[in-house]
Amino acid sequence: MNKWNERFTSEEYVYGTAPNEFLEETQQKLQLSGEALAIAEGEGRNAVFLAEQGMKVTAWDYAPSGLEKTKKLAKARGTAVQTELMDLEEAQWEGDRWDEIVCIFGHFPEKLRRQTLLGIKKAVKPGGYFVAEVYSLCQLSYKSGGPKDSRFLYAPEEFWTVFSDWRIVHFFMGEVVRHEGELHNGLSHVIQFAGQKPEK
């Protein structure tokens, strides 16, 4: 079906089963509740973590094999995640739908990136949050994971322009060390964003 579906067919969780460190730290700080959406969620490690925090979680991905592993991981952890096969090119973003949307290393071409960020802005409820950690344009020289094509990497102004009217709880661009399975491993250059949609 696609390269991600093929990649996730192995028994091994290629990005591990532990949540992303920034997401874990942010959830502990914000103590969010309600309904969460994890986009481009892969094998489910972050969605399952959110479910373990008591949130009602939906995971979107366009690799059926990844969604199957998400359900398997959730069952093993004694929780549940709703899964939906979703190509973000075709996503219909319902307004004011989610208490939290999460994007961890979801990388897309520039046009789809902006379309997705605008969709997220629309779909978060007033008072809700968007949390992301993604590779920056500087990541190419680090060789520790992520796309090998700069067109799939993020510039900081993509967040600043789309979410200029949100309350920025956290913004960081720089080096972090990530050990997330075999494909995210070592010193990396990332952008971290946590923002809250204004109340109406």
Side-chain angles (χ1 to χ4, degrees), residues 44-119:
R45 62 195 176 99
N46 299 302
V48 170
F49 166 73
L50 293 174
E52 289 177 315
Q53 310 312 301
M55 300 195 80
K56 183 179 179 182
V57 185
T58 298
W60 282 0
D61 203 273
Y62 82 144
S65 59
L67 296 176
E68 285 302 313
K69 289 169 89 171
T70 297
K71 289 187 277 191
K72 181 179 176 182
L73 182 61
K75 185 176 180 181
R77 295 270 185 84
T79 190
V81 171
Q82 178 74 31
T83 60
E84 293 183 15
L85 186 65
M86 180 64 67
D87 182 342
L88 289 173
E89 288 274 15
E90 301 170 1
Q92 300 296 311
W93 297 93
E94 183 182 345
D96 300 342
R97 170 70 176 83
W98 305 95
D99 296 288
E100 179 180 18
I101 296 180
V102 170
C103 176
I104 302 298
F105 297 118
H107 291 268
F108 330 109
E110 183 177 2
K111 182 181 177 184
L112 180 56
R113 267 202 317 276
R114 180 166 178 80
Q115 177 182 314
T116 299
L117 291 176
L118 289 170

Side-chain angles (χ1 to χ4, degrees), residues 8 12 17 25-26 35 37 59 77 86 90 96 98 106 122-123 127 131 144 147 155 162 164 182 193 195 200:
F8 296 149
E12 177 190 7
T17 57
E25 292 164 3
T26 303
E35 294 189 69
L37 172 67
R77 295 270 185 84
M86 180 64 67
E90 301 170 1
D96 300 342
W98 305 95
K122 175 184 176 182
V131 178
S144 54
V162 172
S164 60
E182 63 183 50
F193 177 89
K200 289 185 177 178

Side-chain angles (χ1 to χ4, degrees), residues 23-33 100 128-131 167 169-170 194-196:
L23 177 62
E24 188 171 20
E25 292 164 3
T26 303
Q27 291 300 119
Q28 290 171 355
K29 176 182 176 182
L30 298 177
Q31 294 291 300
L32 300 182
S33 60
E100 179 180 18
Y129 288 82
F130 172 44
V131 178
R167 183 172 77 95
V169 177
H170 175 97
Q196 183 182 30

